[in-house]
Amino acid sequence: MLTRNFADRLNPRCGEAFEASFDLLDFKQPTAVQHFGASIIYETIRNKWEDCIANERIATGIKGALIEKLTLGAHFQNQSVTNKLSSSLALFALYCLPDVWPEPVQDLTGLWAGQPELLLRVLAELAAEFHHVQMPLKQRNLVKSSLHRMDTVSLPSDFESDSSLVQLIDRSFPPFVHVRRDVMDVIELVLLSGDASPSLKNAAIECVEEWLRLPSMGLLQWQPILKIVLTNALNDL
């Protein structure tokens, strides 16, 4: 309640307000302070999203700061802080669909190819936070359609199960070729990778679970992924 009341008093039209919140995320701050700052940002995005994305400078600043904090801090900051920042970025991305930030999955996949677990956590939150968005029905349907739009790219014919995940992503999606990098592709690459850690595979499975909870999400299009999940589960017995 304290976080929500504090967030309500922030004026998102003023860049200094968000800057003050991000100052609380300084890695030198105690964990409780960082989590408080992340919670303020999340509540402000949720309750004042129209003002957040209406100002291009503020929207760019929010996006850049969240990505930077996650990129630099994912390996050592408290998990609760990372989780709240992941939720904040996912919620912000949803409110930016389909015009302000049309391809968050592609952009984040290219950015975090070397941090696949962080990528999967944020992609899972992208689906989970859809249930929390508060917007007119027409816009909500547009966002849902954007999430459902998945033009799957097939795995390369020379795929090897023990290939390095980073090398595989780089080879499958060359940086200068315009190719859709969708959620199912990322999950498939992880689940078929022989050197993926248990925590990374768990992140992939959690991502599957969250995306299957999306309204009107069909099981048929996820059938190849579900087969891999079940096969891996049987092999682990």
Side-chain angles (χ1 to χ4, degrees), residues 182-231:
D182 75 5
V183 177
M184 287 193 289
D185 292 324
V186 176
I187 294 172
E188 189 171 20
L189 289 172
V190 170
L191 293 178
L192 290 177
S193 175
D195 59 358
S197 66
S199 63
L200 180 56
K201 289 193 174 183
N202 285 338
I205 292 173
E206 290 174 9
C207 194
V208 173
E209 293 173 349
E210 292 297 345
W211 279 80
L212 287 177
R213 291 191 180 103
L214 281 174
S216 305
M217 180 61 73
L219 288 176
L220 184 60
Q221 68 188 106
W222 283 84
Q223 185 176 356
I225 302 297
L226 294 175
K227 284 184 177 180
I228 298 172
V229 172
L230 293 174
T231 300

mmCIF file of all heavy atoms in Angstrom, residues 182-231:
data_model
loop_
_atom_site.group_PDB
_atom_site.id
_atom_site.type_symbol
_atom_site.label_atom_id
_atom_site.label_comp_id
_atom_site.label_asym_id
_atom_site.label_seq_id
_atom_site.Cartn_x
_atom_site.Cartn_y
_atom_site.Cartn_z
ATOM 1 N N ASP A 182 10.753 -15.383 -32.317
ATOM 2 C CA ASP A 182 9.606 -15.454 -31.442
ATOM 3 C C ASP A 182 9.880 -16.315 -30.227
ATOM 4 O O ASP A 182 10.933 -16.931 -30.078
ATOM 5 C CB ASP A 182 8.348 -15.879 -32.206
ATOM 6 C CG ASP A 182 8.338 -17.360 -32.551
ATOM 7 O OD1 ASP A 182 9.252 -18.076 -32.126
ATOM 8 O OD2 ASP A 182 7.403 -17.786 -33.235
ATOM 9 N N VAL A 183 8.912 -16.333 -29.335
ATOM 10 C CA VAL A 183 9.082 -16.994 -28.049
ATOM 11 C C VAL A 183 9.308 -18.488 -28.224
ATOM 12 O O VAL A 183 10.174 -19.078 -27.567
ATOM 13 C CB VAL A 183 7.845 -16.733 -27.165
ATOM 14 C CG1 VAL A 183 7.969 -17.473 -25.845
ATOM 15 C CG2 VAL A 183 7.668 -15.238 -26.928
ATOM 16 N N MET A 184 8.547 -19.118 -29.099
ATOM 17 C CA MET A 184 8.686 -20.559 -29.279
ATOM 18 C C MET A 184 10.068 -20.937 -29.801
ATOM 19 O O MET A 184 10.614 -21.976 -29.435
ATOM 20 C CB MET A 184 7.592 -21.088 -30.204
ATOM 21 C CG MET A 184 6.217 -21.118 -29.552
ATOM 22 S SD MET A 184 5.005 -22.089 -30.488
ATOM 23 C CE MET A 184 4.757 -21.005 -31.888
ATOM 24 N N ASP A 185 10.639 -20.106 -30.662
ATOM 25 C CA ASP A 185 11.982 -20.383 -31.166
ATOM 26 C C ASP A 185 13.000 -20.401 -30.028
ATOM 27 O O ASP A 185 13.846 -21.290 -29.942
ATOM 28 C CB ASP A 185 12.400 -19.325 -32.191
ATOM 29 C CG ASP A 185 11.593 -19.406 -33.470
ATOM 30 O OD1 ASP A 185 11.258 -20.519 -33.887
ATOM 31 O OD2 ASP A 185 11.279 -18.346 -34.034
ATOM 32 N N VAL A 186 12.918 -19.394 -29.160
ATOM 33 C CA VAL A 186 13.865 -19.301 -28.049
ATOM 34 C C VAL A 186 13.725 -20.505 -27.123
ATOM 35 O O VAL A 186 14.715 -21.130 -26.724
ATOM 36 C CB VAL A 186 13.643 -17.992 -27.264
ATOM 37 C CG1 VAL A 186 14.556 -17.939 -26.040
ATOM 38 C CG2 VAL A 186 13.884 -16.777 -28.155
ATOM 39 N N ILE A 187 12.480 -20.845 -26.784
ATOM 40 C CA ILE A 187 12.238 -21.985 -25.894
ATOM 41 C C ILE A 187 12.754 -23.270 -26.520
ATOM 42 O O ILE A 187 13.396 -24.096 -25.854
ATOM 43 C CB ILE A 187 10.732 -22.102 -25.583
ATOM 44 C CG1 ILE A 187 10.267 -20.899 -24.755
ATOM 45 C CG2 ILE A 187 10.433 -23.401 -24.842
ATOM 46 C CD1 ILE A 187 8.766 -20.826 -24.572
ATOM 47 N N GLU A 188 12.492 -23.450 -27.810
ATOM 48 C CA GLU A 188 12.920 -24.671 -28.494
ATOM 49 C C GLU A 188 14.439 -24.797 -28.499
ATOM 50 O O GLU A 188 14.992 -25.879 -28.263
ATOM 51 C CB GLU A 188 12.375 -24.677 -29.924
ATOM 52 C CG GLU A 188 12.574 -25.997 -30.651
ATOM 53 C CD GLU A 188 11.844 -26.031 -31.980
ATOM 54 O OE1 GLU A 188 11.509 -24.951 -32.505
ATOM 55 O OE2 GLU A 188 11.606 -27.136 -32.491
ATOM 56 N N LEU A 189 15.114 -23.691 -28.750
ATOM 57 C CA LEU A 189 16.575 -23.714 -28.753
ATOM 58 C C LEU A 189 17.127 -24.133 -27.394
ATOM 59 O O LEU A 189 18.085 -24.903 -27.304
ATOM 60 C CB LEU A 189 17.115 -22.332 -29.136
ATOM 61 C CG LEU A 189 16.930 -21.900 -30.593
ATOM 62 C CD1 LEU A 189 17.336 -20.448 -30.764
ATOM 63 C CD2 LEU A 189 17.727 -22.786 -31.530
ATOM 64 N N VAL A 190 16.511 -23.628 -26.334
ATOM 65 C CA VAL A 190 16.981 -23.952 -24.985
ATOM 66 C C VAL A 190 16.723 -25.418 -24.652
ATOM 67 O O VAL A 190 17.605 -26.131 -24.169
ATOM 68 C CB VAL A 190 16.300 -23.041 -23.945
ATOM 69 C CG1 VAL A 190 16.584 -23.534 -22.525
ATOM 70 C CG2 VAL A 190 16.779 -21.604 -24.104
ATOM 71 N N LEU A 191 15.506 -25.879 -24.911
ATOM 72 C CA LEU A 191 15.137 -27.242 -24.530
ATOM 73 C C LEU A 191 15.902 -28.299 -25.321
ATOM 74 O O LEU A 191 16.089 -29.422 -24.848
ATOM 75 C CB LEU A 191 13.632 -27.442 -24.710
ATOM 76 C CG LEU A 191 12.736 -26.639 -23.760
ATOM 77 C CD1 LEU A 191 11.269 -26.881 -24.081
ATOM 78 C CD2 LEU A 191 13.023 -26.987 -22.306
ATOM 79 N N LEU A 192 16.344 -27.956 -26.524
ATOM 80 C CA LEU A 192 17.093 -28.910 -27.338
ATOM 81 C C LEU A 192 18.604 -28.769 -27.169
ATOM 82 O O LEU A 192 19.359 -29.529 -27.764
ATOM 83 C CB LEU A 192 16.727 -28.738 -28.819
ATOM 84 C CG LEU A 192 15.312 -29.170 -29.217
ATOM 85 C CD1 LEU A 192 15.068 -28.886 -30.693
ATOM 86 C CD2 LEU A 192 15.078 -30.639 -28.910
ATOM 87 N N SER A 193 19.002 -27.800 -26.374
ATOM 88 C CA SER A 193 20.432 -27.584 -26.171
ATOM 89 C C SER A 193 20.972 -28.564 -25.132
ATOM 90 O O SER A 193 20.465 -28.655 -24.015
ATOM 91 C CB SER A 193 20.688 -26.148 -25.707
ATOM 92 O OG SER A 193 22.048 -25.965 -25.390
ATOM 93 N N GLY A 194 22.009 -29.286 -25.498
ATOM 94 C CA GLY A 194 22.578 -30.272 -24.580
ATOM 95 C C GLY A 194 23.317 -29.663 -23.413
ATOM 96 O O GLY A 194 23.512 -30.325 -22.391
ATOM 97 N N ASP A 195 23.756 -28.400 -23.534
ATOM 98 C CA ASP A 195 24.535 -27.800 -22.452
ATOM 99 C C ASP A 195 23.739 -26.790 -21.635
ATOM 100 O O ASP A 195 24.308 -26.020 -20.867
ATOM 101 C CB ASP A 195 25.802 -27.142 -23.003
ATOM 102 C CG ASP A 195 25.494 -26.059 -24.032
ATOM 103 O OD1 ASP A 195 24.302 -25.858 -24.345
ATOM 104 O OD2 ASP A 195 26.444 -25.419 -24.514
ATOM 105 N N ALA A 196 22.421 -26.784 -21.787
ATOM 106 C CA ALA A 196 21.592 -25.882 -20.988
ATOM 107 C C ALA A 196 21.522 -26.379 -19.548
ATOM 108 O O ALA A 196 21.312 -27.565 -19.298
ATOM 109 C CB ALA A 196 20.190 -25.781 -21.581
ATOM 110 N N SER A 197 21.687 -25.473 -18.600
ATOM 111 C CA SER A 197 21.654 -25.840 -17.184
ATOM 112 C C SER A 197 20.228 -26.173 -16.755
ATOM 113 O O SER A 197 19.262 -25.771 -17.416
ATOM 114 C CB SER A 197 22.183 -24.685 -16.337
ATOM 115 O OG SER A 197 21.302 -23.569 -16.422
ATOM 116 N N PRO A 198 20.064 -26.894 -15.640
ATOM 117 C CA PRO A 198 18.713 -27.188 -15.141
ATOM 118 C C PRO A 198 17.890 -25.930 -14.885
ATOM 119 O O PRO A 198 16.696 -25.894 -15.185
ATOM 120 C CB PRO A 198 18.984 -27.955 -13.844
ATOM 121 C CG PRO A 198 20.310 -28.604 -14.063
ATOM 122 C CD PRO A 198 21.102 -27.610 -14.864
ATOM 123 N N SER A 199 18.521 -24.887 -14.335
ATOM 124 C CA SER A 199 17.774 -23.655 -14.061
ATOM 125 C C SER A 199 17.326 -22.986 -15.351
ATOM 126 O O SER A 199 16.236 -22.401 -15.414
ATOM 127 C CB SER A 199 18.627 -22.686 -13.235
ATOM 128 O OG SER A 199 19.783 -22.280 -13.958
ATOM 129 N N LEU A 200 18.152 -23.086 -16.397
ATOM 130 C CA LEU A 200 17.783 -22.507 -17.685
ATOM 131 C C LEU A 200 16.613 -23.267 -18.300
ATOM 132 O O LEU A 200 15.669 -22.670 -18.828
ATOM 133 C CB LEU A 200 18.983 -22.524 -18.630
ATOM 134 C CG LEU A 200 18.770 -21.951 -20.036
ATOM 135 C CD1 LEU A 200 18.245 -20.529 -19.974
ATOM 136 C CD2 LEU A 200 20.074 -22.008 -20.828
ATOM 137 N N LYS A 201 16.648 -24.590 -18.207
ATOM 138 C CA LYS A 201 15.538 -25.382 -18.739
ATOM 139 C C LYS A 201 14.261 -25.152 -17.930
ATOM 140 O O LYS A 201 13.161 -25.125 -18.491
ATOM 141 C CB LYS A 201 15.917 -26.860 -18.762
ATOM 142 C CG LYS A 201 16.965 -27.193 -19.820
ATOM 143 C CD LYS A 201 17.103 -28.685 -20.057
ATOM 144 C CE LYS A 201 18.044 -28.956 -21.223
ATOM 145 N NZ LYS A 201 18.161 -30.394 -21.546
ATOM 146 N N ASN A 202 14.405 -24.976 -16.625
ATOM 147 C CA ASN A 202 13.233 -24.657 -15.801
ATOM 148 C C ASN A 202 12.629 -23.315 -16.209
ATOM 149 O O ASN A 202 11.402 -23.155 -16.238
ATOM 150 C CB ASN A 202 13.619 -24.627 -14.321
ATOM 151 C CG ASN A 202 13.822 -26.009 -13.740
ATOM 152 O OD1 ASN A 202 13.310 -26.998 -14.269
ATOM 153 N ND2 ASN A 202 14.574 -26.092 -12.653
ATOM 154 N N ALA A 203 13.496 -22.358 -16.520
ATOM 155 C CA ALA A 203 13.010 -21.054 -16.975
ATOM 156 C C ALA A 203 12.246 -21.194 -18.286
ATOM 157 O O ALA A 203 11.224 -20.530 -18.503
ATOM 158 C CB ALA A 203 14.181 -20.087 -17.142
ATOM 159 N N ALA A 204 12.727 -22.074 -19.165
ATOM 160 C CA ALA A 204 12.038 -22.308 -20.436
ATOM 161 C C ALA A 204 10.666 -22.934 -20.207
ATOM 162 O O ALA A 204 9.674 -22.553 -20.844
ATOM 163 C CB ALA A 204 12.891 -23.204 -21.332
ATOM 164 N N ILE A 205 10.595 -23.892 -19.289
ATOM 165 C CA ILE A 205 9.314 -24.554 -19.005
ATOM 166 C C ILE A 205 8.331 -23.574 -18.362
ATOM 167 O O ILE A 205 7.140 -23.559 -18.692
ATOM 168 C CB ILE A 205 9.548 -25.779 -18.100
ATOM 169 C CG1 ILE A 205 10.316 -26.853 -18.880
ATOM 170 C CG2 ILE A 205 8.218 -26.346 -17.599
ATOM 171 C CD1 ILE A 205 10.741 -28.038 -18.046
ATOM 172 N N GLU A 206 8.826 -22.734 -17.457
ATOM 173 C CA GLU A 206 7.962 -21.720 -16.851
ATOM 174 C C GLU A 206 7.444 -20.752 -17.908
ATOM 175 O O GLU A 206 6.296 -20.289 -17.832
ATOM 176 C CB GLU A 206 8.733 -20.963 -15.770
ATOM 177 C CG GLU A 206 9.022 -21.796 -14.531
ATOM 178 C CD GLU A 206 9.916 -21.076 -13.538
ATOM 179 O OE1 GLU A 206 10.162 -19.864 -13.747
ATOM 180 O OE2 GLU A 206 10.371 -21.705 -12.569
ATOM 181 N N CYS A 207 8.273 -20.464 -18.889
ATOM 182 C CA CYS A 207 7.859 -19.583 -19.980
ATOM 183 C C CYS A 207 6.728 -20.232 -20.781
ATOM 184 O O CYS A 207 5.748 -19.573 -21.144
ATOM 185 C CB CYS A 207 9.061 -19.283 -20.877
ATOM 186 S SG CYS A 207 8.812 -17.911 -22.021
ATOM 187 N N VAL A 208 6.864 -21.523 -21.043
ATOM 188 C CA VAL A 208 5.799 -22.259 -21.739
ATOM 189 C C VAL A 208 4.497 -22.169 -20.950
ATOM 190 O O VAL A 208 3.424 -21.881 -21.501
ATOM 191 C CB VAL A 208 6.192 -23.741 -21.931
ATOM 192 C CG1 VAL A 208 5.012 -24.537 -22.494
ATOM 193 C CG2 VAL A 208 7.388 -23.859 -22.860
ATOM 194 N N GLU A 209 4.575 -22.403 -19.654
ATOM 195 C CA GLU A 209 3.379 -22.392 -18.811
ATOM 196 C C GLU A 209 2.669 -21.043 -18.859
ATOM 197 O O GLU A 209 1.439 -20.979 -18.964
ATOM 198 C CB GLU A 209 3.763 -22.738 -17.368
ATOM 199 C CG GLU A 209 4.249 -24.171 -17.192
ATOM 200 C CD GLU A 209 4.786 -24.432 -15.796
ATOM 201 O OE1 GLU A 209 4.979 -23.450 -15.038
ATOM 202 O OE2 GLU A 209 5.012 -25.606 -15.458
ATOM 203 N N GLU A 210 3.441 -19.960 -18.783
ATOM 204 C CA GLU A 210 2.831 -18.632 -18.776
ATOM 205 C C GLU A 210 2.179 -18.303 -20.118
ATOM 206 O O GLU A 210 1.080 -17.736 -20.165
ATOM 207 C CB GLU A 210 3.872 -17.567 -18.420
ATOM 208 C CG GLU A 210 4.386 -17.638 -16.992
ATOM 209 C CD GLU A 210 3.300 -17.392 -15.956
ATOM 210 O OE1 GLU A 210 2.212 -16.890 -16.302
ATOM 211 O OE2 GLU A 210 3.543 -17.717 -14.781
ATOM 212 N N TRP A 211 2.836 -18.675 -21.208
ATOM 213 C CA TRP A 211 2.266 -18.359 -22.520
ATOM 214 C C TRP A 211 1.033 -19.197 -22.815
ATOM 215 O O TRP A 211 0.115 -18.740 -23.499
ATOM 216 C CB TRP A 211 3.331 -18.513 -23.608
ATOM 217 C CG TRP A 211 4.212 -17.309 -23.665
ATOM 218 C CD1 TRP A 211 5.259 -17.012 -22.835
ATOM 219 C CD2 TRP A 211 4.092 -16.199 -24.553
ATOM 220 N NE1 TRP A 211 5.799 -15.792 -23.157
ATOM 221 C CE2 TRP A 211 5.104 -15.273 -24.214
ATOM 222 C CE3 TRP A 211 3.234 -15.906 -25.611
ATOM 223 C CZ2 TRP A 211 5.268 -14.065 -24.892
ATOM 224 C CZ3 TRP A 211 3.404 -14.705 -26.297
ATOM 225 C CH2 TRP A 211 4.406 -13.800 -25.930
ATOM 226 N N LEU A 212 0.984 -20.402 -22.288
ATOM 227 C CA LEU A 212 -0.203 -21.229 -22.495
ATOM 228 C C LEU A 212 -1.399 -20.707 -21.706
ATOM 229 O O LEU A 212 -2.542 -21.074 -21.998
ATOM 230 C CB LEU A 212 0.085 -22.679 -22.099
ATOM 231 C CG LEU A 212 0.981 -23.465 -23.060
ATOM 232 C CD1 LEU A 212 1.252 -24.864 -22.519
ATOM 233 C CD2 LEU A 212 0.355 -23.552 -24.449
ATOM 234 N N ARG A 213 -1.151 -19.868 -20.712
ATOM 235 C CA ARG A 213 -2.243 -19.284 -19.926
ATOM 236 C C ARG A 213 -2.862 -18.058 -20.603
ATOM 237 O O ARG A 213 -3.873 -17.536 -20.131
ATOM 238 C CB ARG A 213 -1.739 -18.883 -18.535
ATOM 239 C CG ARG A 213 -1.385 -20.065 -17.642
ATOM 240 C CD ARG A 213 -1.155 -19.614 -16.203
ATOM 241 N NE ARG A 213 -0.814 -20.730 -15.345
ATOM 242 C CZ ARG A 213 0.415 -21.005 -14.912
ATOM 243 N NH1 ARG A 213 1.424 -20.213 -15.275
ATOM 244 N NH2 ARG A 213 0.650 -22.038 -14.137
ATOM 245 N N LEU A 214 -2.248 -17.597 -21.687
ATOM 246 C CA LEU A 214 -2.813 -16.447 -22.386
ATOM 247 C C LEU A 214 -4.198 -16.792 -22.940
ATOM 248 O O LEU A 214 -4.417 -17.909 -23.415
ATOM 249 C CB LEU A 214 -1.907 -16.016 -23.536
ATOM 250 C CG LEU A 214 -0.675 -15.182 -23.188
ATOM 251 C CD1 LEU A 214 0.173 -14.984 -24.432
ATOM 252 C CD2 LEU A 214 -1.081 -13.836 -22.598
ATOM 253 N N PRO A 215 -5.128 -15.856 -22.906
ATOM 254 C CA PRO A 215 -6.467 -16.116 -23.458
ATOM 255 C C PRO A 215 -6.394 -16.511 -24.932
ATOM 256 O O PRO A 215 -5.647 -15.918 -25.706
ATOM 257 C CB PRO A 215 -7.186 -14.771 -23.283
ATOM 258 C CG PRO A 215 -6.458 -14.083 -22.181
ATOM 259 C CD PRO A 215 -5.027 -14.506 -22.309
ATOM 260 N N SER A 216 -7.151 -17.538 -25.281
ATOM 261 C CA SER A 216 -7.285 -18.007 -26.669
ATOM 262 C C SER A 216 -6.003 -18.594 -27.245
ATOM 263 O O SER A 216 -5.891 -18.771 -28.460
ATOM 264 C CB SER A 216 -7.771 -16.873 -27.590
ATOM 265 O OG SER A 216 -8.976 -16.313 -27.106
ATOM 266 N N MET A 217 -5.045 -18.894 -26.398
ATOM 267 C CA MET A 217 -3.817 -19.512 -26.903
ATOM 268 C C MET A 217 -4.094 -20.977 -27.235
ATOM 269 O O MET A 217 -4.547 -21.741 -26.390
ATOM 270 C CB MET A 217 -2.697 -19.411 -25.866
ATOM 271 C CG MET A 217 -1.380 -20.027 -26.324
ATOM 272 S SD MET A 217 -0.712 -19.235 -27.809
ATOM 273 C CE MET A 217 -0.129 -17.676 -27.126
ATOM 274 N N GLY A 218 -3.849 -21.362 -28.475
ATOM 275 C CA GLY A 218 -4.150 -22.717 -28.913
ATOM 276 C C GLY A 218 -3.024 -23.690 -28.608
ATOM 277 O O GLY A 218 -1.843 -23.374 -28.787
ATOM 278 N N LEU A 219 -3.394 -24.868 -28.144
ATOM 279 C CA LEU A 219 -2.395 -25.892 -27.848
ATOM 280 C C LEU A 219 -1.742 -26.435 -29.114
ATOM 281 O O LEU A 219 -0.599 -26.882 -29.080
ATOM 282 C CB LEU A 219 -3.041 -27.045 -27.074
ATOM 283 C CG LEU A 219 -3.422 -26.778 -25.616
ATOM 284 C CD1 LEU A 219 -4.125 -27.994 -25.034
ATOM 285 C CD2 LEU A 219 -2.193 -26.434 -24.789
ATOM 286 N N LEU A 220 -2.471 -26.380 -30.229
ATOM 287 C CA LEU A 220 -1.967 -26.990 -31.460
ATOM 288 C C LEU A 220 -0.656 -26.356 -31.898
ATOM 289 O O LEU A 220 0.291 -27.061 -32.268
ATOM 290 C CB LEU A 220 -3.015 -26.874 -32.569
ATOM 291 C CG LEU A 220 -2.662 -27.562 -33.895
ATOM 292 C CD1 LEU A 220 -2.450 -29.059 -33.670
ATOM 293 C CD2 LEU A 220 -3.751 -27.320 -34.926
ATOM 294 N N GLN A 221 -0.577 -25.027 -31.850
ATOM 295 C CA GLN A 221 0.641 -24.370 -32.306
ATOM 296 C C GLN A 221 1.815 -24.614 -31.354
ATOM 297 O O GLN A 221 2.975 -24.489 -31.745
ATOM 298 C CB GLN A 221 0.400 -22.868 -32.474
ATOM 299 C CG GLN A 221 0.166 -22.114 -31.177
ATOM 300 C CD GLN A 221 -0.264 -20.687 -31.422
ATOM 301 O OE1 GLN A 221 -1.418 -20.326 -31.251
ATOM 302 N NE2 GLN A 221 0.676 -19.850 -31.830
ATOM 303 N N TRP A 222 1.497 -24.992 -30.115
ATOM 304 C CA TRP A 222 2.548 -25.276 -29.140
ATOM 305 C C TRP A 222 2.881 -26.768 -29.072
ATOM 306 O O TRP A 222 3.709 -27.180 -28.256
ATOM 307 C CB TRP A 222 2.124 -24.781 -27.758
ATOM 308 C CG TRP A 222 2.255 -23.298 -27.608
ATOM 309 C CD1 TRP A 222 1.351 -22.356 -27.987
ATOM 310 C CD2 TRP A 222 3.368 -22.585 -27.058
ATOM 311 N NE1 TRP A 222 1.819 -21.101 -27.705
ATOM 312 C CE2 TRP A 222 3.059 -21.212 -27.129
ATOM 313 C CE3 TRP A 222 4.587 -22.977 -26.507
ATOM 314 C CZ2 TRP A 222 3.925 -20.220 -26.676
ATOM 315 C CZ3 TRP A 222 5.460 -21.993 -26.047
ATOM 316 C CH2 TRP A 222 5.133 -20.638 -26.138
ATOM 317 N N GLN A 223 2.247 -27.566 -29.908
ATOM 318 C CA GLN A 223 2.446 -29.012 -29.851
ATOM 319 C C GLN A 223 3.916 -29.422 -29.976
ATOM 320 O O GLN A 223 4.381 -30.285 -29.213
ATOM 321 C CB GLN A 223 1.609 -29.698 -30.933
ATOM 322 C CG GLN A 223 1.663 -31.215 -30.878
ATOM 323 C CD GLN A 223 0.745 -31.851 -31.912
ATOM 324 O OE1 GLN A 223 0.014 -31.168 -32.618
ATOM 325 N NE2 GLN A 223 0.784 -33.167 -32.004
ATOM 326 N N PRO A 224 4.692 -28.839 -30.900
ATOM 327 C CA PRO A 224 6.109 -29.233 -30.991
ATOM 328 C C PRO A 224 6.878 -28.964 -29.696
ATOM 329 O O PRO A 224 7.732 -29.771 -29.301
ATOM 330 C CB PRO A 224 6.637 -28.375 -32.144
ATOM 331 C CG PRO A 224 5.425 -28.034 -32.956
ATOM 332 C CD PRO A 224 4.322 -27.878 -31.959
ATOM 333 N N ILE A 225 6.579 -27.835 -29.049
ATOM 334 C CA ILE A 225 7.263 -27.506 -27.799
ATOM 335 C C ILE A 225 6.848 -28.473 -26.698
ATOM 336 O O ILE A 225 7.680 -28.954 -25.916
ATOM 337 C CB ILE A 225 6.948 -26.061 -27.374
ATOM 338 C CG1 ILE A 225 7.366 -25.071 -28.465
ATOM 339 C CG2 ILE A 225 7.638 -25.727 -26.055
ATOM 340 C CD1 ILE A 225 8.843 -25.048 -28.743
ATOM 341 N N LEU A 226 5.557 -28.776 -26.625
ATOM 342 C CA LEU A 226 5.065 -29.683 -25.587
ATOM 343 C C LEU A 226 5.666 -31.078 -25.749
ATOM 344 O O LEU A 226 5.952 -31.762 -24.760
ATOM 345 C CB LEU A 226 3.538 -29.745 -25.628
ATOM 346 C CG LEU A 226 2.815 -28.440 -25.265
ATOM 347 C CD1 LEU A 226 1.314 -28.588 -25.456
ATOM 348 C CD2 LEU A 226 3.128 -28.028 -23.830
ATOM 349 N N LYS A 227 5.869 -31.504 -26.984
ATOM 350 C CA LYS A 227 6.500 -32.805 -27.223
ATOM 351 C C LYS A 227 7.921 -32.824 -26.667
ATOM 352 O O LYS A 227 8.357 -33.813 -26.060
ATOM 353 C CB LYS A 227 6.516 -33.116 -28.724
ATOM 354 C CG LYS A 227 5.178 -33.556 -29.289
ATOM 355 C CD LYS A 227 5.317 -33.924 -30.756
ATOM 356 C CE LYS A 227 3.989 -34.430 -31.323
ATOM 357 N NZ LYS A 227 4.117 -34.785 -32.766
ATOM 358 N N ILE A 228 8.640 -31.725 -26.870
ATOM 359 C CA ILE A 228 10.015 -31.645 -26.360
ATOM 360 C C ILE A 228 10.016 -31.665 -24.833
ATOM 361 O O ILE A 228 10.830 -32.348 -24.201
ATOM 362 C CB ILE A 228 10.708 -30.371 -26.879
ATOM 363 C CG1 ILE A 228 10.804 -30.397 -28.402
ATOM 364 C CG2 ILE A 228 12.102 -30.234 -26.268
ATOM 365 C CD1 ILE A 228 11.305 -29.097 -29.004
ATOM 366 N N VAL A 229 9.086 -30.910 -24.227
ATOM 367 C CA VAL A 229 8.995 -30.870 -22.766
ATOM 368 C C VAL A 229 8.724 -32.261 -22.208
ATOM 369 O O VAL A 229 9.373 -32.711 -21.251
ATOM 370 C CB VAL A 229 7.892 -29.887 -22.319
ATOM 371 C CG1 VAL A 229 7.662 -29.995 -20.811
ATOM 372 C CG2 VAL A 229 8.267 -28.456 -22.687
ATOM 373 N N LEU A 230 7.758 -32.965 -22.801
ATOM 374 C CA LEU A 230 7.411 -34.304 -22.321
ATOM 375 C C LEU A 230 8.545 -35.298 -22.551
ATOM 376 O O LEU A 230 8.822 -36.155 -21.704
ATOM 377 C CB LEU A 230 6.134 -34.784 -23.011
ATOM 378 C CG LEU A 230 4.852 -34.012 -22.651
ATOM 379 C CD1 LEU A 230 3.685 -34.490 -23.501
ATOM 380 C CD2 LEU A 230 4.530 -34.163 -21.171
ATOM 381 N N THR A 231 9.205 -35.183 -23.692
ATOM 382 C CA THR A 231 10.334 -36.075 -23.976
ATOM 383 C C THR A 231 11.457 -35.869 -22.975
ATOM 384 O O THR A 231 12.043 -36.834 -22.457
ATOM 385 C CB THR A 231 10.859 -35.834 -25.404
ATOM 386 O OG1 THR A 231 9.812 -36.100 -26.345
ATOM 387 C CG2 THR A 231 12.045 -36.744 -25.699
#
